[in-house]
Amino acid sequence: MRRAQLTVYVVEDDASVRDSLALMLGLGGYRTALFPDAESFLSAYRDDWTGCVVADLRLPGKSGIELQAELRARKSALPFVIITAHADVPTVRAAFHADAVDFLEKPFDHAHLRAAIERAFSREGHRLQRAADNAKLAALTARERDVLEHAAMGLHAKEIAAKLGISPRTVEVHKTRIMEKLGVRNIGELVRFAIAAQPREER
Amino acid sequence: MTTAISPVRYVRDAAVFAPCYIALDWASYIDPVGPFNITPWNPQPALAIVWMLLGGLQHTPIVLATIFVADMLVRGAPGGYFVTLLTTVILGGGYAVIAWMLRELLGNAGLRSSRELTVFCAVVVGGTTLVGGAFIGVLRGAAQLDESSVPAAWLRFWIGDAVGILVTAPLLLAAADRERRAGLLVLARRPETALQMVVLLATMWLIFQGLGGDPRDHFYLLFLPLIWIAVRGGMNGAIGATALVQLGVVAGLRSDAVPAFPVVEIQALVAGLTLTGLYLGVMVDERERAAESLRESLRLAAAGEMAGAIAHEVNQPLTALSNYGQSALALLGAPGGARPQLAAIIEKMLQEASRAAEVVRRLRELFRTGTTRLERVSAEELAASVRRIAQELIGPRAITLHLRHAGDLPALYVDRLQVELALRNLIANAVEALSAQPVADAAVEVRLLREGDDRMRIVLGDNGPGLGSATRARLFEPFVSGKPTGMGLGLAVSRAIAEAHGGSLEARPGPRAEFHLILPCAEPS
């Protein structure tokens, strides 16, 4: 995964805090995009945005938590880090129930913010990887899928051929096609891919 | 339960106690039944009980010896030494048991609550009844009293001891208690106290001399100055006044100015007067303490709410400062050419620092002097604040905000933070009322209206269940809350803020809950 794809979307109504966050994150090597409130973020939002949102809890209009709920309703999985200048237990609970990566109280330690963003990015990285894998798997034919499943169980070409009632040579052809489609170079990677893909197919 | 004290102190205390007890016994040996110490006024048991209560039961032997000696010296041991010995054991033992019970039930017997006072009275009245019964029983058994005089003698003994202890013990306890002593001294220095004493003494003179006739007929007059004193001076005043009344009554008796006093009945009246005074005094004290703790918590709660609002204000510049500082550090580490950028960052840091300092300064001013930092807040800014606060408070609930304002509203001249706090309290009330009892089309309505030339009227209403007239009357009292979790301070704080601005906050009668907040506007510039 390339870091450059990932952006920190800052939603903060206080101009000084927004400006200083952008400067600090920019110097820290993050790409940032700034919004003064939830509405302007939502009107600009596109489905292919990746990275994480750092949102203030108290915003004019929709709060940070409401913004998160709105994005989840739009099937966006963008991870959220909520920041606030005045926290109480119910709002912290609400933030975590809404699946925030972290909840930071202002003034926060920059290392904590960094750690939270990194956690969010790694969550985002896994999500993107999974999405890419699933897209590749979707390109397989039904027969290729059968072959992949059996290969994942560690069966050899002859055993797979016997099980599926086709010739070993055809199995080998399928394997080659599968490796091409999934972009893997050897049987070891193929097995890893299959094992990694399986549990997610069950979902 | 005894307190260990040195032998020297033990002997010294005994040397003070014994003469005092004997002197009191002598002074109060009036109107007896036969030659015995059955008199309608007996303050010396109070001395013995308070001594054993405060000093511990190890003083009991001294008390017993003193009672024996006093009976010999004052009355010449009229029933013979054996009877005196028996009565001494009954009296001394009885007082020791009373002292022990008070100590167990009340600890230091500070008589600071009506419960403590009730326990004290019950133990004293019950204890003296039993001691009196045993005392009279011994005399009857020794054939010193005839059958027919037993009930009257018992009554006289009981009244004498009970009144003596009820009047004298609180005074002695107060004298032994540092805090009470200081309170009595403060009271004694008040000019009002001298006037009260004069009125009390004059009333007593009227009852016993001035009006003539039976003193019982006009005894009730004494309740008037006593109530005055107890209401103004609390328990300390009541203790002093009842002691003075008792001394006045006794002085009247001893002077033989008026012959044939119905002494026992007058002492019964004194007992009633004493109980009234002490209960009134202790309730005045309790009320005063409750009011003080209420004022204290009001101050704390107002400070707490204000601090919450201001924490938000002060944390914003601190966050920016911290971010800029971190950025400056990162730039310093970067190779070359960062100087102009660094200067810009440091400039911003200075701005943020003064922004934080400004909030803190305003906070300090508010708490130190109650002064506020007034600034122009335009009607549009106010409307934006209302909208922001309402949206924040309403959250995901299905409540709409109707915000309307007249076109040509002047700017307010107020402390923005404080006014926002007051608005927040009022809007929170409306939202909670609507959430507690869901209604169709739930809405919070806020109207901004011109009020005369130099004021703005902000009307906040909701279409919830509304306010009953009883609720409305008590609305602004601290700690009266309609909410199950409320502290009931929000409205009191909001009104305080409105009044600090020279404005007002009131609840309007009507089917809907409606609050009218009036605030001053800026000078027309």
Coordinates of all heavy atoms in Angstrom, one line a residue, chain A residues 130-189:
Chain A
R130 N -7.7 -5.7 1.5 CA -8.8 -6.7 1.5 C -9.7 -6.4 0.3 O -10.1 -7.3 -0.5 CB -9.6 -6.6 2.7 CG -10.0 -8.0 3.3 CD -10.2 -7.9 4.8 NE -11.1 -6.8 5.2 CZ -10.8 -6.1 6.3 NH1 -9.7 -6.4 7.0 NH2 -11.6 -5.2 6.7
A131 N -10.0 -5.1 0.1 CA -10.9 -4.7 -1.0 C -10.2 -5.1 -2.4 O -10.9 -5.7 -3.3 CB -11.1 -3.2 -1.0
A132 N -8.9 -4.9 -2.5 CA -8.2 -5.3 -3.7 C -8.3 -6.8 -3.9 O -8.5 -7.3 -5.0 CB -6.8 -4.8 -3.7
D133 N -8.0 -7.5 -2.9 CA -8.0 -9.0 -2.9 C -9.4 -9.5 -3.4 O -9.5 -10.3 -4.3 CB -7.7 -9.6 -1.6 CG -6.2 -9.4 -1.2 OD1 -5.5 -8.9 -2.1 OD2 -5.8 -9.8 -0.1
N134 N -10.4 -8.9 -2.8 CA -11.7 -9.4 -3.1 C -12.1 -9.0 -4.6 O -12.7 -9.8 -5.2 CB -12.8 -8.7 -2.2 CG -12.7 -9.3 -0.8 OD1 -12.2 -10.4 -0.6 ND2 -13.2 -8.5 0.2
A135 N -11.6 -7.9 -5.0 CA -11.8 -7.5 -6.4 C -11.2 -8.6 -7.3 O -11.8 -9.0 -8.3 CB -11.3 -6.1 -6.7
K136 N -9.9 -9.0 -7.0 CA -9.3 -10.0 -7.8 C -10.0 -11.3 -7.8 O -10.2 -12.0 -8.8 CB -7.8 -10.2 -7.3 CG -6.9 -9.0 -7.7 CD -5.5 -9.3 -7.0 CE -4.6 -8.1 -7.2 NZ -3.5 -8.2 -6.3
L137 N -10.4 -11.7 -6.6 CA -11.1 -13.0 -6.5 C -12.4 -13.0 -7.3 O -12.8 -14.0 -7.9 CB -11.5 -13.3 -5.0 CG -10.3 -13.8 -4.1 CD1 -10.8 -13.9 -2.7 CD2 -9.9 -15.2 -4.6
A138 N -13.0 -11.8 -7.3 CA -14.3 -11.7 -8.0 C -14.1 -12.0 -9.5 O -15.1 -12.3 -10.2 CB -14.9 -10.3 -7.8
A139 N -12.9 -11.8 -10.0 CA -12.6 -12.0 -11.4 C -12.5 -13.5 -11.8 O -12.4 -13.8 -13.0 CB -11.3 -11.2 -11.8
L140 N -12.4 -14.4 -10.8 CA -12.2 -15.8 -11.1 C -13.5 -16.4 -11.5 O -14.6 -16.0 -11.1 CB -11.7 -16.5 -9.8 CG -10.4 -16.1 -9.2 CD1 -10.0 -17.0 -8.1 CD2 -9.3 -16.1 -10.3
T141 N -13.4 -17.4 -12.4 CA -14.7 -18.2 -12.8 C -15.0 -19.1 -11.6 O -14.2 -19.4 -10.7 CB -14.4 -19.0 -14.0 OG1 -13.4 -20.0 -13.7 CG2 -14.0 -18.1 -15.2
A142 N -16.2 -19.7 -11.7 CA -16.6 -20.7 -10.7 C -15.6 -21.9 -10.6 O -15.3 -22.3 -9.5 CB -18.0 -21.1 -10.9
R143 N -15.3 -22.4 -11.7 CA -14.4 -23.5 -11.7 C -13.0 -23.2 -11.1 O -12.4 -23.9 -10.3 CB -14.3 -24.0 -13.2 CG -13.4 -25.3 -13.5 CD -13.5 -26.4 -12.5 NE -14.8 -27.0 -12.2 CZ -15.3 -28.1 -12.7 NH1 -14.6 -28.8 -13.5 NH2 -16.4 -28.5 -12.3
E144 N -12.5 -22.0 -11.5 CA -11.2 -21.5 -11.0 C -11.3 -21.4 -9.5 O -10.3 -21.7 -8.7 CB -10.8 -20.2 -11.6 CG -10.3 -20.3 -13.0 CD -10.2 -19.0 -13.8 OE1 -10.7 -18.0 -13.2 OE2 -9.8 -19.0 -14.9
R145 N -12.4 -20.9 -9.0 CA -12.6 -20.8 -7.5 C -12.5 -22.2 -6.8 O -11.9 -22.3 -5.8 CB -14.0 -20.3 -7.3 CG -14.0 -19.0 -6.4 CD -15.5 -18.5 -6.4 NE -15.5 -17.2 -6.8 CZ -15.3 -16.2 -6.0 NH1 -15.1 -16.4 -4.7 NH2 -15.3 -14.9 -6.4
D146 N -13.2 -23.2 -7.5 CA -13.1 -24.6 -6.9 C -11.7 -25.0 -6.8 O -11.3 -25.6 -5.8 CB -13.9 -25.5 -7.9 CG -15.4 -25.3 -7.8 OD1 -15.8 -24.7 -6.7 OD2 -16.1 -25.7 -8.7
V147 N -11.0 -24.8 -7.9 CA -9.6 -25.3 -7.9 C -8.8 -24.5 -6.8 O -8.0 -25.2 -6.1 CB -8.9 -25.0 -9.3 CG1 -7.4 -25.3 -9.3 CG2 -9.6 -25.8 -10.4
L148 N -9.0 -23.2 -6.7 CA -8.3 -22.5 -5.7 C -8.6 -23.0 -4.3 O -7.7 -23.2 -3.5 CB -8.7 -21.0 -5.8 CG -8.0 -20.1 -4.7 CD1 -6.5 -20.0 -5.0 CD2 -8.6 -18.6 -4.8
E149 N -9.9 -23.3 -4.0 CA -10.2 -23.8 -2.7 C -9.5 -25.1 -2.4 O -9.0 -25.3 -1.3 CB -11.8 -24.0 -2.6 CG -12.5 -22.8 -2.1 CD -14.0 -23.0 -2.3 OE1 -14.5 -24.2 -2.1 OE2 -14.7 -22.0 -2.6
H150 N -9.5 -26.0 -3.4 CA -8.8 -27.3 -3.1 C -7.3 -27.1 -3.0 O -6.7 -27.7 -2.1 CB -9.2 -28.3 -4.2 CG -10.6 -28.8 -4.1 ND1 -11.6 -28.3 -4.8 CD2 -11.1 -29.8 -3.3 CE1 -12.7 -28.9 -4.5 NE2 -12.5 -29.8 -3.6
A151 N -6.8 -26.2 -3.8 CA -5.3 -25.9 -3.7 C -5.0 -25.4 -2.3 O -4.0 -25.7 -1.7 CB -4.9 -24.9 -4.7
A152 N -5.9 -24.5 -1.8 CA -5.7 -24.0 -0.4 C -5.7 -25.1 0.6 O -5.0 -24.9 1.6 CB -6.8 -23.0 -0.1
M153 N -6.4 -26.2 0.4 CA -6.4 -27.2 1.4 C -5.1 -28.1 1.3 O -4.9 -29.0 2.0 CB -7.6 -28.1 1.2 CG -8.9 -27.5 1.7 SD -10.3 -28.6 1.6 CE -10.8 -28.4 -0.1
G154 N -4.2 -27.7 0.3 CA -2.9 -28.4 0.2 C -3.0 -29.6 -0.8 O -2.1 -30.4 -0.8
L155 N -4.0 -29.7 -1.6 CA -4.1 -30.9 -2.5 C -3.3 -30.7 -3.7 O -3.1 -29.5 -4.2 CB -5.6 -31.1 -2.9 CG -6.6 -31.3 -1.8 CD1 -8.0 -31.6 -2.3 CD2 -6.1 -32.5 -0.9
H156 N -2.7 -31.8 -4.3 CA -1.9 -31.7 -5.5 C -2.8 -31.7 -6.7 O -4.0 -32.0 -6.6 CB -0.9 -32.8 -5.6 CG 0.1 -32.7 -4.5 ND1 1.0 -31.7 -4.5 CD2 0.4 -33.5 -3.4 CE1 1.8 -31.8 -3.4 NE2 1.4 -32.9 -2.8
A157 N -2.3 -31.4 -7.9 CA -3.1 -31.3 -9.1 C -3.8 -32.6 -9.4 O -5.0 -32.6 -9.7 CB -2.2 -31.0 -10.3
K158 N -3.2 -33.8 -9.1 CA -3.8 -35.0 -9.4 C -5.0 -35.2 -8.5 O -6.1 -35.7 -8.9 CB -2.8 -36.2 -9.2 CG -2.0 -36.5 -10.5 CD -1.1 -37.7 -10.2 CE -0.1 -37.8 -11.4 NZ 1.0 -38.6 -11.0
E159 N -4.9 -34.9 -7.2 CA -6.0 -35.1 -6.3 C -7.1 -34.2 -6.6 O -8.3 -34.6 -6.6 CB -5.5 -34.8 -4.8 CG -4.4 -35.8 -4.4 CD -3.7 -35.3 -3.1 OE1 -3.2 -34.1 -3.1 OE2 -3.5 -36.0 -2.2
I160 N -6.8 -32.9 -7.0 CA -7.9 -32.0 -7.3 C -8.6 -32.5 -8.5 O -9.8 -32.5 -8.6 CB -7.2 -30.6 -7.6 CG1 -6.6 -30.0 -6.3 CG2 -8.3 -29.6 -8.1 CD1 -5.8 -28.7 -6.6
A161 N -7.8 -33.0 -9.5 CA -8.4 -33.5 -10.8 C -9.4 -34.6 -10.5 O -10.5 -34.7 -11.0 CB -7.3 -34.0 -11.7
A162 N -9.0 -35.5 -9.6 CA -9.8 -36.7 -9.2 C -11.1 -36.2 -8.5 O -12.2 -36.6 -8.8 CB -9.1 -37.6 -8.2
K163 N -11.0 -35.2 -7.7 CA -12.1 -34.7 -6.9 C -13.1 -34.0 -7.8 O -14.3 -34.1 -7.7 CB -11.7 -33.7 -5.8 CG -11.0 -34.3 -4.6 CD -11.5 -33.7 -3.4 CE -11.1 -34.6 -2.2 NZ -11.9 -34.3 -1.0
L164 N -12.6 -33.2 -8.8 CA -13.4 -32.4 -9.6 C -13.9 -33.1 -10.9 O -14.7 -32.6 -11.6 CB -12.8 -31.0 -10.0 CG -12.5 -30.1 -8.8 CD1 -11.8 -28.8 -9.3 CD2 -13.7 -29.8 -8.0
G165 N -13.2 -34.3 -11.1 CA -13.6 -35.1 -12.3 C -13.1 -34.4 -13.6 O -13.8 -34.5 -14.6
I166 N -11.9 -33.8 -13.5 CA -11.3 -33.3 -14.7 C -9.9 -33.8 -14.8 O -9.4 -34.4 -13.8 CB -11.3 -31.7 -14.7 CG1 -10.7 -31.2 -13.4 CG2 -12.7 -31.2 -14.9 CD1 -10.6 -29.7 -13.3
S167 N -9.2 -33.5 -15.9 CA -7.8 -34.0 -16.0 C -6.8 -33.2 -15.3 O -7.1 -32.0 -15.1 CB -7.5 -34.0 -17.5 OG -7.1 -32.7 -17.9
P168 N -5.8 -33.8 -14.8 CA -4.7 -33.0 -14.1 C -4.2 -31.9 -14.9 O -3.9 -30.8 -14.4 CB -3.6 -34.1 -13.8 CG -4.3 -35.4 -13.9 CD -5.5 -35.2 -14.9
R169 N -4.1 -32.1 -16.2 CA -3.6 -31.0 -17.1 C -4.5 -29.8 -17.1 O -4.0 -28.7 -17.0 CB -3.5 -31.6 -18.5 CG -2.6 -30.8 -19.4 CD -2.4 -31.2 -20.8 NE -2.3 -30.1 -21.6 CZ -1.2 -29.3 -21.6 NH1 -0.3 -29.5 -20.7 NH2 -1.1 -28.3 -22.4
T170 N -5.8 -30.0 -17.1 CA -6.8 -28.9 -17.0 C -6.6 -28.2 -15.7 O -6.6 -26.9 -15.6 CB -8.2 -29.4 -17.1 OG1 -8.3 -30.4 -18.1 CG2 -9.2 -28.3 -17.4
V171 N -6.4 -28.9 -14.6 CA -6.1 -28.3 -13.3 C -4.9 -27.4 -13.4 O -5.0 -26.2 -12.9 CB -5.9 -29.4 -12.2 CG1 -5.5 -28.7 -10.9 CG2 -7.2 -30.1 -12.0
E172 N -3.8 -27.9 -14.0 CA -2.6 -27.0 -14.2 C -2.9 -25.8 -14.9 O -2.5 -24.7 -14.6 CB -1.5 -27.8 -14.9 CG -0.9 -29.0 -14.0 CD -0.2 -28.5 -12.8 OE1 0.1 -27.2 -12.7 OE2 0.0 -29.3 -11.9
V173 N -3.8 -25.9 -16.0 CA -4.1 -24.7 -16.8 C -4.9 -23.7 -15.9 O -4.5 -22.5 -15.9 CB -5.0 -25.1 -18.0 CG1 -5.5 -23.8 -18.7 CG2 -4.1 -25.9 -19.0
H174 N -5.9 -24.2 -15.2 CA -6.6 -23.4 -14.2 C -5.7 -22.6 -13.3 O -5.8 -21.4 -13.1 CB -7.7 -24.2 -13.4 CG -8.9 -24.5 -14.2 ND1 -9.6 -23.5 -15.0 CD2 -9.6 -25.6 -14.4 CE1 -10.6 -24.1 -15.6 NE2 -10.6 -25.4 -15.2
K175 N -4.7 -23.4 -12.7 CA -3.8 -22.8 -11.7 C -3.0 -21.7 -12.3 O -2.9 -20.6 -11.7 CB -2.8 -23.9 -11.2 CG -3.3 -24.6 -10.0 CD -2.1 -25.5 -9.5 CE -2.6 -26.2 -8.2 NZ -1.5 -27.1 -7.8
T176 N -2.6 -21.8 -13.6 CA -1.8 -20.8 -14.2 C -2.7 -19.5 -14.4 O -2.3 -18.4 -14.1 CB -1.3 -21.3 -15.6 OG1 -0.8 -22.6 -15.4 CG2 -0.2 -20.3 -16.1
R177 N -3.9 -19.8 -14.8 CA -4.8 -18.6 -15.0 C -5.1 -17.9 -13.7 O -5.1 -16.7 -13.6 CB -6.2 -19.1 -15.6 CG -6.1 -19.7 -17.0 CD -5.8 -18.6 -18.0 NE -6.8 -17.5 -18.0 CZ -8.0 -17.6 -18.6 NH1 -8.3 -18.6 -19.4 NH2 -8.9 -16.6 -18.5
I178 N -5.3 -18.7 -12.7 CA -5.6 -18.1 -11.3 C -4.4 -17.3 -10.9 O -4.6 -16.1 -10.5 CB -5.8 -19.2 -10.3 CG1 -7.2 -20.0 -10.6 CG2 -5.9 -18.6 -8.9 CD1 -7.3 -21.2 -9.8
M179 N -3.2 -17.8 -11.1 CA -2.0 -17.0 -10.6 C -1.9 -15.8 -11.4 O -1.5 -14.7 -10.9 CB -0.7 -17.9 -10.8 CG -0.8 -19.1 -9.8 SD 0.8 -19.7 -9.3 CE 1.3 -20.5 -10.8
E180 N -2.2 -15.8 -12.7 CA -2.2 -14.6 -13.5 C -3.2 -13.5 -13.0 O -2.9 -12.4 -12.7 CB -2.6 -14.9 -15.0 CG -1.3 -15.2 -15.8 CD -1.8 -15.7 -17.2 OE1 -2.9 -15.3 -17.6 OE2 -1.0 -16.5 -17.8
K181 N -4.4 -14.0 -12.8 CA -5.5 -13.1 -12.3 C -5.2 -12.5 -11.0 O -5.5 -11.3 -10.7 CB -6.8 -13.8 -12.3 CG -7.4 -14.0 -13.7 CD -8.8 -14.7 -13.6 CE -9.5 -14.8 -14.9 NZ -10.7 -15.6 -14.8
L182 N -4.7 -13.3 -10.1 CA -4.4 -12.8 -8.7 C -3.1 -12.1 -8.6 O -2.8 -11.5 -7.6 CB -4.5 -13.9 -7.7 CG -5.8 -14.7 -7.6 CD1 -5.8 -15.7 -6.4 CD2 -7.0 -13.7 -7.3
G183 N -2.3 -12.2 -9.6 CA -1.0 -11.5 -9.6 C 0.0 -12.2 -8.6 O 0.7 -11.5 -7.9
V184 N -0.1 -13.5 -8.4 CA 0.9 -14.2 -7.5 C 1.9 -15.0 -8.4 O 1.5 -15.3 -9.5 CB 0.2 -15.1 -6.5 CG1 -0.7 -14.3 -5.6 CG2 -0.6 -16.2 -7.2
R185 N 3.1 -15.2 -7.8 CA 4.2 -15.8 -8.7 C 4.3 -17.3 -8.5 O 4.9 -17.9 -9.3 CB 5.5 -15.1 -8.4 CG 5.6 -13.7 -9.1 CD 6.7 -12.9 -8.5 NE 6.6 -12.8 -7.1 CZ 6.9 -11.7 -6.4 NH1 7.5 -10.7 -7.0 NH2 6.7 -11.6 -5.1
N186 N 4.0 -17.8 -7.3 CA 4.2 -19.2 -7.1 C 3.0 -19.8 -6.3 O 2.1 -19.1 -5.8 CB 5.5 -19.5 -6.4 CG 5.6 -18.7 -5.1 OD1 4.7 -18.6 -4.3 ND2 6.8 -18.0 -5.0
I187 N 3.1 -21.2 -6.1 CA 2.0 -21.9 -5.4 C 1.9 -21.4 -4.0 O 0.8 -21.3 -3.4 CB 2.2 -23.4 -5.5 CG1 2.2 -23.9 -7.0 CG2 1.2 -24.2 -4.6 CD1 0.8 -23.8 -7.6
G188 N 3.1 -21.2 -3.3 CA 3.1 -20.7 -1.9 C 2.2 -19.5 -1.8 O 1.3 -19.4 -0.9
E189 N 2.4 -18.5 -2.6 CA 1.7 -17.2 -2.5 C 0.2 -17.5 -2.8 O -0.7 -16.9 -2.2 CB 2.2 -16.2 -3.5 CG 3.4 -15.4 -3.0 CD 3.9 -14.3 -4.0 OE1 3.0 -13.8 -4.6 OE2 5.1 -14.1 -4.0

